[in-house]
């Protein structure tokens, strides 16, 4: 797919493109939603990103469906952020049946779970783990930072 995950965050639209293995950002006018010409930039490369969510510190959490992981890109949601140099695995691995096929992510919305990232997973339909796909599931990861919803 071209555009896969789409997320509005602090005056910008962030889009994952699984096909191109990039995460892009474009500034938009907050009052109209119109694209600000010349603001399109590649924020991360080499990721098969599917969906994403942001915490209040501007960190992006990207689900990587075929790689069975959720990655954190520090600070790329901040106003003057440069393209990501660092990325950190939050959860998962190539062999992880528990996180197989992470496709979507969202932060909890209550006081009890607002630091928890909820992730839907296909069970590895695209890239099976072991003998084949496992049951689809939703898993939760407490990242220790409040999500921005």
């Amino acid at each position: 797919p071209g555009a896969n995950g789409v997320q509005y965050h602090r005056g910008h639209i962030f889009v994952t493109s699984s096909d191109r293995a990039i995460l892009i950002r474009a500034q938009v006018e907050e009052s109209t939603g119109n694209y600000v010409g010349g603001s399109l930039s590649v924020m991360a490369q080499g990721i098969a990103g599917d969906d994403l969510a942001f915490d209040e510190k501007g960190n992006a959490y990207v689900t990587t469906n075929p790689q069975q992981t959720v990655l954190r890109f520090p600070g790329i949601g901040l106003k003057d952020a440069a393209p990501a140099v660092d990325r950190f695995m939050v959860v998962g691995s190539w062999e992880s049946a528990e996180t197989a096929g992470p496709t979507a992510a969202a932060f909890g919305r209550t006081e009890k779970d607002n630091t928890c990232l909820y992730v839907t997973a296909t069970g590895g339909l695209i890239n099976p783990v072991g003998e084949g796909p496992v049951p689809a599931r939703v898993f939760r990861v407490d990242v220790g930072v409040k999500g921005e919803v």
Side-chain angles (χ1 to χ4, degrees):
N4 199 339
V6 178
Q7 186 70 250
Y8 174 82
H9 180 73
R10 300 181 186 178
H12 293 87
I13 298 292
F14 288 82
V15 179
T16 60
S17 173
S18 304
D19 192 42
R20 302 245 184 225
I22 58 174
L23 172 62
I24 59 173
R25 176 181 73 179
Q27 186 176 357
V28 294
E29 294 284 342
E30 291 196 46
S31 61
T32 64
N34 292 332
Y35 167 68
V36 175
S39 68
L40 187 67
S41 58
V42 175
M43 297 303 290
Q45 299 182 51
I47 58 165
D50 203 344
D51 192 26
L52 67 159
F54 287 90
D55 69 25
E56 66 183 4
K57 292 185 178 182
N59 300 313
Y61 297 83
V62 179
T63 59
T64 65
N65 187 346
Q67 283 81 33
Q68 329 299 24
T69 63
V70 176
L71 302 175
R72 178 174 55 91
F73 292 85
I76 67 169
L78 299 175
K79 183 178 179 182
D80 296 322
V85 175
D86 296 324
R87 63 190 70 185
F88 300 94
M89 191 176 321
V90 174
V91 67
S93 73
W94 282 98
E95 301 85 25
S96 177
E98 289 80 24
T99 61
T103 60
F107 276 93
R109 296 176 184 242
T110 71
E111 198 61 39
K112 290 183 178 181
D113 71 349
N114 62 13
T115 63
C116 294
L117 188 66
Y118 291 91
V119 180
T120 60
T122 67
L125 292 176
I126 293 175
N127 187 18
V129 175
E131 297 295 316
V134 296
R137 63 185 60 181
V138 175
F139 61 91
R140 178 177 84 170
V141 180
D142 191 331
V143 299
V145 180
K146 186 177 176 183
E148 193 163 299
V149 292

